[in-house]
Amino acid sequence: MAETSNFLITETVIDIQEVVNKVTDRNAGAINTFIGTVRELTKGKKTLYLKYDAYVPMAEKKLAQIGDEIQKDFPEAKVAITHRIGELAISDIAVVIAVSTPHRADAFTASRYAIERIKEIVPIWKKEHWEDGEEWIGDQLEKVAYPSGKPEEGDLKS
Amino acid sequence: MAETSNFLITETVIDIQEVVNKVTDRNAGAINTFIGTVRELTKGKKTLYLKYDAYVPMAEKKLAQIGDEIQKDFPEAKVAITHRIGELAISDIAVVIAVSTPHRADAFTASRYAIERIKEIVPIWKKEHWEDGEEWIGDQLEKVAYPSGKPEEGDLKS
Amino acid sequence: MIRVLLFADLQEKAGIREIEISAEKLTINGIREHIMELYPQLTAIKTAMPAVNEEYAEGEQVVKAGDIVAFIPPVSGG
Amino acid sequence: MIRVLLFADLQEKAGIREIEISAEKLTINGIREHIMELYPQLTAIKTAMPAVNEEYAEGEQVVKAGDIVAFIPPVSGG
């Protein structure tokens, strides 16, 4: 069942084509795909590898919520998101977002929205491992978590 | 030789992963992919299939020029574009653009720029086939072609 | 019994991912205080976002036996 | 000899993709007029963008034997 869902947390390598296939549609002229990969250098510090943890059932629900939010703005959009957890090496794919829409501008807007929302509301955590240490990354580097469906006044400036 | 270029016109099915592989980079944290697919309905008219023609060597040069333009704005960006020509069915992939950058905002901006520029300067033509006719699509529906590297004053409003 | 889940650095500092509390009813704030007594090193739980049955919740919310409570540290997916 | 390439509806209306002109030197505008005499149905060539050796060019540009000229109708890729 989980294998056919559009919103998945997985412990295995993500197949981009498989995520894209979920949103392919006769009335879509555009598919935007955002692929998040593990970058070696962040603020001058060299990452050796990452570990992602997630509250899996809630994370999948929150990914689906992001899909619903997009469809409120773009009723014809189709959305699929897969996020990988576990240990990831440099250049490994952590997340694939695919959004199809009839016209291209909406696909870009919706895909961008999805990645920003993932960083706000989806219970997934990243632990960076460097040569000289390791740390769970939270809002010291990223955004704060939003409990509500939408970011609240002032949240975006924090 | 052509197979290893980042800027290709092809007569065969485009493999998304292959295009993405060309821009994967240890210092990229984000890859944005734009996939143009054949839509069945355009302005209420039902397309049966499309045919794309191209001035192949010039089209590949112009795709490479778009890559250069992006790297002027985003020196760390890597760009790959493959455009398919020949006969395409509904939902077939016509073009795949992949842009990797260290940070995600730039990948979105550059990918969007690439698709807009393709529609401006790359000598590729689409013929739509409907139940009741066929037509080469030009600036009656799309943008005009720009001879210079950049759109000129006033061009964007036309 | 109420199940409480800890993640990321909360889980690492507690050395445990799941805690069971034998209670019929408690507020989330009450649960939080209970956990801080058990694991005083979990200072970060004060700023973690609570969730009940996989949905974000407020500290005043009352939780019943059978519910699953989670404390969500600032997220960093993507 | 100068090679001239036609594409899309220009090619279809001319019924030919490539034309060879026996000349040592001609402006692009001169080539265009020559083609319109041969193929009066090619009215769209007036608004097509000329290219010489795979680069966009102006109508006044002089083309030499060995060059490849192309008339690019409004593009519609993507």
Side-chain angles (χ1 to χ4, degrees):
Chain A
M1 186 202 88
E3 282 314 293
T4 62
S5 164
N6 278 23
F7 304 98
L8 283 181
I9 302 294
T10 179
E11 296 188 28
T12 57
V13 172
I14 304 175
D15 179 337
I16 300 171
Q17 182 69 54
E18 207 173 274
V19 183
V20 169
N21 288 347
K22 291 177 185 171
V23 304
T24 301
D25 189 276
R26 297 180 73 77
N27 288 319
I31 300 172
N32 190 282
T33 307
F34 178 83
I35 301 163
T37 53
V38 177
R39 190 177 56 225
E40 185 167 39
L41 289 176
T42 295
K43 307 192 179 193
K45 231 175 161 178
K46 198 167 173 179
T47 298
L48 299 180
Y49 64 96
L50 292 186
K51 214 181 150 180
Y52 280 97
D53 186 16
Y55 181 11
V56 174
M58 182 168 169
E60 291 184 339
K61 272 191 190 174
K62 289 289 150 187
L63 292 176
Q65 176 187 324
I66 293 170
D68 289 344
E69 289 172 6
I70 288 171
Q71 285 180 322
K72 251 170 228 150
D73 281 343
F74 307 107
E76 295 178 283
K78 284 193 166 189
V79 185
I81 307 174
T82 301
H83 201 300
R84 185 174 166 192
I85 57 172
E87 198 172 306
L88 273 75
I90 305 304
S91 289
D92 277 355
I93 295 175
V95 63
V96 174
I97 298 166
V99 182
S100 72
T101 57
H103 300 284
R104 64 187 180 281
D106 296 344
F108 278 94
T109 305
S111 169
R112 181 71 198 270
Y113 178 82
I115 182 63
E116 301 303 329
R117 285 298 269 165
I118 287 172
K119 290 172 181 288
E120 288 170 354
I121 67 166
V122 181
I124 299 174
W125 302 272
K126 174 166 73 177
K127 189 180 194 178
E128 296 213 8
H129 292 257
W130 306 289
E131 274 174 359
D132 61 347
E134 54 185 50
E135 190 171 12
W136 286 102
I137 305 300
D139 61 0
Q140 71 275 32
L141 287 182
E142 308 275 342
K143 298 239 177 79
V144 296
Y146 300 109
S148 68
K150 297 268 175 188
E152 284 148 39
E153 195 70 43
D155 282 346
L156 290 173
K157 287 128 202 162
S158 70
Chain B
M1 185 200 87
E3 284 312 293
T4 62
S5 163
N6 277 23
F7 303 98
L8 285 180
I9 303 293
T10 179
E11 296 188 28
T12 57
V13 171
I14 305 174
D15 180 335
I16 301 171
Q17 181 69 52
E18 209 173 274
V19 183
V20 168
N21 288 346
K22 291 176 187 172
V23 304
T24 301
D25 189 276
R26 296 180 75 77
N27 287 317
I31 301 172
N32 192 282
T33 308
F34 179 82
I35 301 163
T37 54
V38 178
R39 189 178 57 225
E40 184 165 41
L41 289 174
T42 296
K43 306 191 179 193
K45 232 174 159 178
K46 197 170 172 176
T47 298
L48 299 180
Y49 65 96
L50 292 187
K51 213 181 151 183
Y52 280 97
D53 187 15
Y55 181 11
V56 175
M58 181 168 170
E60 291 183 341
K61 273 190 189 175
K62 288 289 151 188
L63 293 176
Q65 176 186 325
I66 293 170
D68 289 343
E69 289 172 7
I70 287 170
Q71 284 179 325
K72 251 170 227 150
D73 281 343
F74 307 107
E76 295 178 282
K78 284 193 165 190
V79 185
I81 307 174
T82 301
H83 200 301
R84 185 174 166 192
I85 57 173
E87 198 172 308
L88 273 74
I90 305 302
S91 289
D92 277 355
I93 293 174
V95 63
V96 174
I97 298 165
V99 182
S100 72
T101 58
H103 299 284
R104 65 188 181 279
D106 296 343
F108 278 94
T109 304
S111 169
R112 181 69 196 271
Y113 178 81
I115 182 64
E116 301 303 330
R117 285 298 270 164
I118 287 173
K119 291 171 181 288
E120 288 170 355
I121 66 166
V122 181
I124 300 174
W125 302 272
K126 173 166 73 177
K127 189 179 194 178
E128 296 214 8
H129 292 257
W130 307 289
E131 275 174 359
D132 62 348
E134 54 186 48
E135 191 171 12
W136 285 102
I137 305 300
D139 62 359
Q140 69 277 31
L141 286 182
E142 308 275 343
K143 297 236 178 84
V144 296
Y146 300 108
S148 68
K150 297 267 173 188
E152 284 146 39
E153 196 68 44
D155 282 346
L156 290 173
K157 287 126 201 162
S158 69
Chain C
M1 201 188 65
I2 296 163
R3 290 172 61 198
V4 180
L5 305 178
L6 302 175
F7 299 98
D9 67 320
L10 290 179
Q11 176 191 345
E12 270 187 13
K13 290 221 174 75
I16 193 170
R17 193 173 177 92
E18 187 169 338
I19 298 167
E20 299 188 344
I21 300 178
S22 305
E24 283 305 306
K25 257 188 182 181
L26 269 176
T27 65
I28 288 174
N29 286 336
I31 291 171
R32 199 188 324 242
E33 280 162 34
H34 180 69
I35 290 174
M36 287 187 70
E37 279 167 26
L38 292 173
Y39 303 95
Q41 71 272 34
L42 286 195
T43 51
I45 203 172
K46 287 183 216 164
T47 54
M49 195 69 68
V52 177
N53 300 331
E54 302 166 7
E55 193 54 69
Y56 289 109
E58 303 289 334
E60 300 77 38
Q61 188 171 325
V62 175
V63 177
K64 301 178 305 295
D67 285 342
I68 301 175
V69 175
F71 287 97
I72 314 278
V75 304
S76 52
Chain D
M1 199 188 67
I2 296 164
R3 289 170 62 197
V4 180
L5 305 178
L6 302 173
F7 299 97
D9 68 320
L10 290 178
Q11 176 190 348
E12 270 186 15
K13 290 219 174 76
I16 192 171
R17 193 173 176 92
E18 187 168 337
I19 297 167
E20 298 188 344
I21 300 178
S22 305
E24 283 304 306
K25 257 188 180 181
L26 267 177
T27 64
I28 289 173
N29 286 336
I31 291 171
R32 198 188 327 240
E33 279 163 33
H34 180 70
I35 290 173
M36 287 188 69
E37 279 167 25
L38 292 172
Y39 304 95
Q41 70 274 31
L42 286 196
T43 51
I45 204 173
K46 287 183 218 166
T47 53
M49 195 69 68
V52 177
N53 300 331
E54 303 166 6
E55 194 52 70
Y56 290 109
E58 302 291 334
E60 300 77 36
Q61 187 170 326
V62 176
V63 177
K64 302 177 304 295
D67 285 342
I68 301 174
V69 175
F71 288 97
I72 314 278
V75 304
S76 52

